[in-house]
Amino acid sequence: MAIKITDECINCGACEPECPNNAIYEGGVEWAMADGTSIKGQFVMMDGTSIAADQRNAPIAVDSYYIVPNKCTECQGFHEEPQCAAVCPVDCCVPDEMYQETVDELLAKKEKLHM
């Protein structure tokens, strides 16, 4: 499953540079699937909707850092554990129960993001 950042976030920013998928954004910053990935053209999201990879999207959170679930692979294929959780000083990077994914699904997502 994807990782999420809880309300306990202190906005230290330690997690953002650790993400190999560029899935973590500062609160209030727009995001795009193309940011830090090799995706071009259209991209089909987990909910089945299709967006342009370079389309700027509304921030998921305004007051704290956030993780884009469609880009989060829990660092599968890169590291042994989610790096955001490993470096978070307040343990606010936790599994997001809304996005249940197997290791195989996370690895397939990684391959789509970094062809």
Side-chain angles (χ1 to χ4, degrees):
M1 67 182 67
I3 302 294
K4 68 179 178 181
I5 298 175
T6 66
D7 293 339
E8 287 80 33
C9 178
I10 59 171
N11 287 314
C12 71
C15 58
E16 184 180 23
E18 299 302 320
C19 182
N21 301 312
N22 199 42
I24 302 174
Y25 292 82
E26 187 175 354
V29 174
E30 293 181 336
W31 64 274
M33 289 303 300
D35 294 342
T37 70
S38 61
I39 297 174
K40 296 184 182 352
Q42 289 297 114
F43 182 82
V44 178
M45 307 288 274
M46 289 188 295
D47 67 3
T49 60
S50 180
I51 65 169
D54 60 355
Q55 172 184 316
R56 303 309 299 172
N57 299 284
I60 294 173
V62 177
D63 296 326
S64 64
Y65 280 81
Y66 65 90
I67 298 173
V68 176
N70 281 279
K71 295 177 75 174
C72 180
T73 63
E74 289 188 34
C75 293
Q76 289 291 327
F78 294 104
H79 304 286
E80 294 294 317
E81 64 182 336
Q83 294 301 286
C84 57
V87 301
C88 181
V90 293
D91 297 326
C92 69
C93 297
V94 299
D96 188 341
E97 58 282 339
M98 290 184 58
Y99 299 96
Q100 301 286 329
E101 296 169 283
T102 66
V103 170
D104 288 340
E105 289 170 325
L106 292 168
L107 288 170
K109 186 193 298 187
K110 179 223 179 230
E111 292 303 316
K112 278 176 65 175
L113 295 172
H114 303 283
M115 294 192 265

